[in-house]
Amino acid sequence: MNTEGLLAARMVRLKSSAIRELLKHSKMEGVISLAGGIPSSALFDFDGLREATQLAITEQPEHAFQYGLTEGSYTLRERITELCQERGVVANPDDIVVTAGSQQALDLVMRAVVNPEDIFVVERPTYLAALQTLELAEANILSVGTDGDGMIVDELAELLKTRKIKGVYLVPTFGNPSGVTLSRARREQLVQLASKHEFLIVEDDPYGELRFTDERQPTLFELSKALFGHADNIIYTSTFSKILAPGLRLGWVIMPDWLLHKVAIIKQAADLHASALSQSIAECYLGLGRLPAQIETIRAAYKKKCQILAELLERELGDVLTFEYPKGGMFLWARFREPRNCAEWMKKTLEQGVVFVPGEFFYADNPDHSTFRLSFATATEEQMHEAVARLKRAL
């Protein structure tokens, strides 16, 4: 059968996630992975999850095993609003759609707002899977630079002098892959530009709870409400994957009314609703009141892991590379002091038995081949010592 022409044209340029491909290598015997942004299963609250699962299937089986609302369980949405309020994101349950992870939230939103060739601006570098959703929506993706204070909003302001854009996507707090956080001044500048030029901001916040200090930057959603009395052009998304368990596949998106019902229609067509059983488990878990202590456990563990990896890199490889010290999240972004193709270098590191993610995959354009991303979330202290030694040998 001649299958030429059967695929949609938009699928031709869509590429598989480089990280998913790299994870195949991480499953090989003897390979230490610093690649995927995978939470440490050693930190999962299995006792709490077990109790919540038991409650879900014994006390509310009619909800756990039945069809539900496309927008998600109302009780779960109520509990999400309580969680978000602690982050400065004040919303109502009716402002929320529960999704199959925040990845689905990004896909639904981009499908709802992007016309082919609409301009969406991202950070350079940015989250790889967000680039995939934008490519699938056939957006015209442009990028602006990033430094130690996050997205360089001045570059965006210059771009806006000549181009009309549909929106900006960013991870402003402990970004993926950069690990950096957008400064307060730049947050205010970005929100003001969005209001003046009438573009959307998609604020992706999977790591905001994973901070290593007491410092907390306001969300863009929060700033917009403070400055303008509304957040009609801010779309806020987050997930339970990094603070509870990714296997639940639960995230959420908070949207203005003009968009929410359109996104709900797309979700209804995609999968009717997020897993009712997962929603019941999350709802019961939040009801147990165990999440705050669980988040503190994760923060402390990741802070220690980050310190170990950063100190090892500084001591063993500090003469050849540089990096920003993360204040939270799961990633450390490094750059060689001299030009080096990290994708080519990884062929040698694989021979040594260690895998990371070359930085070039996180760029919409103008990739910096001398960069790479390391995740400190999953590896043990012993594995990180060995991994850095192997990276050094591969040089």
Side-chain angles (χ1 to χ4, degrees):
M1 178 179 176
N2 184 6
T3 59
E4 186 177 350
L6 295 181
L7 276 177
R10 62 179 171 273
M11 297 304 298
V12 174
R13 62 178 180 174
L14 193 66
K15 300 174 184 175
S16 174
S17 166
I19 298 174
R20 293 294 165 197
E21 297 300 316
L22 289 171
L23 287 178
K24 296 177 184 177
H25 296 294
S26 71
K27 301 297 183 184
M28 295 166 58
E29 187 176 353
V31 172
I32 299 172
S33 176
L34 302 176
I38 300 174
S40 172
S41 56
L43 298 174
F44 291 168
D45 181 11
F46 288 118
D47 289 340
L49 288 166
R50 218 174 274 117
E51 185 177 352
T53 302
Q54 190 64 31
L55 286 171
I57 63 179
T58 58
E59 296 193 3
Q60 50 184 55
E62 69 282 5
H63 298 304
F65 297 108
Q66 184 55 279
Y67 285 121
L69 297 173
T70 296
E71 293 83 358
S73 156
Y74 193 82
T75 302
L76 178 58
R77 284 183 282 150
E78 284 183 317
R79 290 182 173 160
I80 288 171
T81 62
E82 295 167 6
L83 179 62
C84 286
Q85 192 160 3
E86 297 172 8
R87 306 178 183 184
V89 177
V90 179
N92 299 311
D94 290 335
D95 300 327
I96 296 172
V97 171
V98 178
T99 57
S102 58
Q103 183 61 42
Q104 188 191 47
L106 295 178
D107 178 52
L108 296 175
V109 167
M110 296 311 181
R111 282 200 272 170
V113 303
V114 177
N115 295 307
E117 296 306 312
D118 277 349
I119 296 175
F120 239 86
V121 178
V122 299
E123 300 168 280
R124 189 171 60 248
T126 193
Y127 176 43
L128 173 60
L131 290 177
Q132 287 183 305
T133 65
L134 285 165
E135 288 169 358
L136 195 56
E138 300 182 80
N140 180 7
I141 307 170
L142 302 181
S143 66
V144 296
T146 303
D147 61 18
D149 288 323
M151 175 183 276
I152 303 173
V153 183
D154 281 344
E155 288 187 17
L156 176 64
E158 283 298 311
L159 177 66
L160 288 166
K161 291 178 180 179
T162 58
R163 309 295 288 269
K164 174 68 176 175
I165 72 170
K166 174 62 70 75
V168 168
Y169 166 83
L170 75 167
V171 183
T173 307
F174 316 133
N176 180 2
S178 67
V180 300
T181 295
L182 190 65
S183 68
R184 172 65 182 257
R186 290 185 183 181
R187 287 172 189 251
E188 292 184 2
Q189 183 186 8
L190 177 59
V191 168
Q192 288 167 343
L193 284 174
S195 177
K196 177 182 177 181
H197 294 274
E198 298 184 331
F199 61 80
L200 296 169
I201 296 175
V202 179
E203 179 178 13
D204 195 3
D205 187 26
Y207 311 105
E209 295 284 7
L210 306 182
R211 59 182 181 272
F212 303 154
T213 70
D214 292 332
E215 180 184 1
R216 186 188 77 83
Q217 292 289 0
T219 63
L220 303 174
F221 185 101
E222 180 182 0
L223 275 177
S224 183
K225 284 205 167 183
L227 291 171
F228 306 113
H230 67 82
D232 289 346
N233 61 334
I234 312 289
I235 299 158
Y236 176 89
T237 183
S238 192
T239 180
F240 286 110
S241 292
K242 306 303 187 289
I243 58 175
L244 187 52
L248 292 174
R249 301 311 307 130
L250 287 179
W252 67 91
V253 55
I254 297 175
M255 296 167 283
D257 186 67
W258 63 266
L259 177 60
L260 186 143
H261 298 292
K262 303 300 184 185
V263 167
I265 290 170
I266 300 172
K267 178 162 178 60
Q268 190 174 47
D271 64 0
L272 297 183
H273 58 78
S275 164
L277 179 58
S278 289
Q279 289 186 72
S280 292
I281 293 170
E283 179 184 311
C284 291
Y285 186 90
L286 293 176
L288 293 172
R290 298 175 68 105
L291 186 60
Q294 173 64 7
I295 290 173
E296 287 300 324
T297 297
I298 297 169
R299 281 177 184 163
Y302 286 177
K303 179 180 181 179
K304 182 180 179 182
K305 285 170 173 277
C306 179
Q307 288 174 334
I308 291 168
L309 181 59
E311 288 169 4
L312 285 168
L313 290 172
E314 187 66 43
R315 187 178 73 220
E316 301 296 332
L317 296 169
D319 58 331
V320 295
L321 58 81
T322 182
F323 58 88
E324 295 286 344
Y325 199 108
K327 295 181 180 178
M330 300 171 65
F331 304 110
L332 187 149
W333 181 251
R335 174 181 285 102
F336 278 98
R337 297 181 186 275
E338 300 294 333
R340 177 183 291 271
N341 188 314
C342 287
E344 289 298 314
W345 178 50
M346 198 179 70
K347 295 176 182 178
K348 296 182 179 179
T349 72
L350 274 171
E351 292 174 1
Q352 295 291 336
V354 62
V355 63
F356 58 87
V357 186
E360 64 185 70
F361 299 119
F362 298 100
Y363 290 81
D365 51 37
N366 302 315
D368 184 345
H369 296 279
S370 296
T371 59
F372 59 103
R373 191 194 76 178
L374 301 173
S375 173
F376 48 78
T378 307
T380 65
E381 180 175 350
E382 181 182 6
Q383 286 174 327
M384 284 193 281
H385 275 271
E386 180 60 27
V388 172
R390 293 179 184 185
L391 290 175
K392 189 174 183 178
R393 285 200 299 271
L395 290 175

